[in-house]
Amino acid sequence: MGRIFCIVGKSSSGKDTIYKKLLINPILQLKRIVLYTTRPIRAGEQEGVEYYFTKVEVMKRLQEDSKIIECRSYNTVYGIWYYFMAKDGQIDLAQNNYLVIGTLESYTKIRDYFGQNKVVPIYIDLDDGERLTRALQREKKQREPKYEEMCRRFLADAKDFSIEKLEQAGITKHFYNNNLNACLSDITAYILSF
């Protein structure tokens, strides 16, 4: 039986780096699930790699056709941005294990849709000071840095990933990303244990 391993964590905790490294690990043989978003593409991102970058109108058509598994919105300083997983033929749990990046909210919706025994959370944790430093470094590299949005996301993470919300979602295991190689080793062993 295949599983969906869902990487979750606060912004700038290293989720993207960990995701990419796990995908290329030949021992794990994980398939990628590409989510959709209506937010603008960032410098260095590629269509169909990090996300499918789409318009709200496309998302609404998919909703009308009952093709959205989970959807969440963020009221950013630049307007509302949506992120969602669609029924688009990417997932075949009879054949493969998958890897996806999400939020605590998206994890619970994906888990509720596919079933608790098929969706496994991988919670990435990191000191807030280090996360803020990484977020600022990443934002400085953007063509048009969005510092206000970066700060909004950082502050929202404290509520979104509170101890109470993690417990409600059934997430008790944390992978601390203060050393990338050690963190990857721990996650790899964890995935292989299933």
Side-chain angles (χ1 to χ4, degrees), residues 34-37 41 44-54:
V34 181
L35 300 178
Y36 294 75
T37 185
I41 193 168
E45 290 181 326
Q46 297 175 32
E47 170 68 24
V49 176
E50 286 80 12
Y51 292 98
Y52 292 118
F53 296 91
T54 191

Side-chain angles (χ1 to χ4, degrees), residues 179-190:
N179 177 302
L180 179 60
N181 289 332
C183 186
L184 284 167
S185 178
D186 290 347
I187 294 170
T188 300
Y190 183 64

